[in-house]
Amino acid sequence: MTSSTRRVVVHAPAKINLHLRVGPPGGDGYHPLVSVFQALSLFEEVTAAATAPGAGTSVTTAGRGAAAVPLGEGNLAVRAAHALALAAGVAPDVALHLRKAVPVAGGMAGGSADAAAALMACDLLWGTGATRAELLALAAGLGADVPFCLVGGTALGTGRGDVLQQVDARGELHWVLVMAQEGLSTPAVFTALDAARAEGSVPAVQDLVPEVPAVLAAALHSGDPVAIGAALANDLQAPALALRPDLAATVAAAGVAGGLGSVVCGSGPTVAVLARGTEHAAELAATLGAHGETKHVCGPVPGARQVEGADLSPLHPAMRGRAETATP
Ligand code: C5P
């Protein structure tokens, strides 16, 4: 980048959890997690444009669910810009524009992707010289999923989900996302899990082993989608289904339709269904359209990255030119 750069555009991916185990909450209210994340070809796009000195931070939004996104200090991209400016000792002068594609409150880390993309875009715009480690530390302070949106790929997350280690995963997976109109509150789903465990309606907390379960590790290493589909697991699925009983029908329909496996994304309500390949994904997307808006995406994809211009297609290269069942 040169000092004449006036605008930086960054894409950051949505995530799903192939495996999510949740421990009892700590004193800070956060739950220890063992998570296997995968980044998907569904991207938030953040443009960071230079403003007049002293103008401060402004934000505008467009795209999927944009009206539901706060525009003040509660906006995660704004918080990211402010955190970076403070750490780097620069003025937080930037006009941010978020082009959203990830469902708001959909369990896919859309807000975290905004924060990750804003961190990278502002870092490039301002030329702060922050190291990768410094950006990751700032990301972890913004939210548990923000570091993963920076690194992408397929990764084991421990701690709050923010301590990351890449996982050996071969091949490309085809997922059909079934997206709901109404989002789910992440804290409400964690609280429902705690309550269900306290009353004994879901199994008590197991010991959290901070590694990829052997069966899933072998499946990812081989890249066999049938084995991966059989190994999907999420402790937040039961409380998400309890809060949103309609999701049980989506999960059941995914099995009847021949999905290799399905899992609620994070705290829901999006459901991810694994397909054998492109054609199978198109069939599943058509069949499951009765349960919500469907979209065919691929994983894994890289984390946040600068793109050449705002008009680039936000699609993974593997998806270019393919028919899609929905557009953001
Ligand atoms: O970190 P983030 O802001 O994305 O998390 C949203 C909410 O999800 C937290 O406020 C907390 O209620 C819940 N959460 C949790 N344990 C985690 C991650 C998130 O309880 N490890």
Side-chain angles (χ1 to χ4, degrees), residues 12-16 38-40 42-44 102 108-110 113 148-149 301:
K15 61 82 184 169
I16 57 173
Q38 180 157 93
L40 300 182
L42 182 65
F43 298 98
E44 296 285 88
V102 182
M108 301 191 71
F148 178 72
C149 294
V301 300

Side-chain angles (χ1 to χ4, degrees), residues 29-33 112 142-145 159-161 186-187 190:
Y30 271 82
H31 297 70
L33 305 179
S112 298
L142 293 164
D145 292 335
R160 293 175 168 192
T186 299
F190 275 101

Side-chain angles (χ1 to χ4, degrees), residues 2 39 70 74 87 91 94 101 109-110 116 140 144 157 167 180 186 204 211 218 230 246 265 289 292 312 325 327:
T2 68
V94 62
V167 169
T186 299
E211 57 191 39
D246 55 310
C265 299
L312 277 187
T325 51
T327 47

Side-chain angles (χ1 to χ4, degrees), residues 121-208:
C122 291
D123 177 51
L124 292 166
L125 184 74
W126 295 333
T128 71
T131 64
R132 183 81 170 159
E134 286 166 345
L135 287 181
L136 282 168
L138 285 171
L142 293 164
D145 292 335
V146 183
F148 178 72
C149 294
L150 273 181
V151 305
T154 304
L156 173 69
T158 54
R160 293 175 168 192
D162 53 342
V163 181
L164 298 170
Q165 198 182 321
Q166 282 294 315
V167 169
D168 170 26
R170 298 201 182 152
E172 179 175 62
L173 298 176
H174 292 259
W175 298 94
V176 174
L177 303 175
V178 186
M179 301 181 276
Q181 286 282 334
E182 283 279 305
L184 259 176
S185 151
T186 299
V189 177
F190 275 101
T191 301
L193 175 65
D194 296 338
R197 282 175 167 166
E199 69 183 28
S201 58
V202 301
V205 184
Q206 301 160 357
D207 281 346
L208 288 186

Side-chain angles (χ1 to χ4, degrees), residues 13 92-93 277-278 282 285:
D93 297 332
T278 305

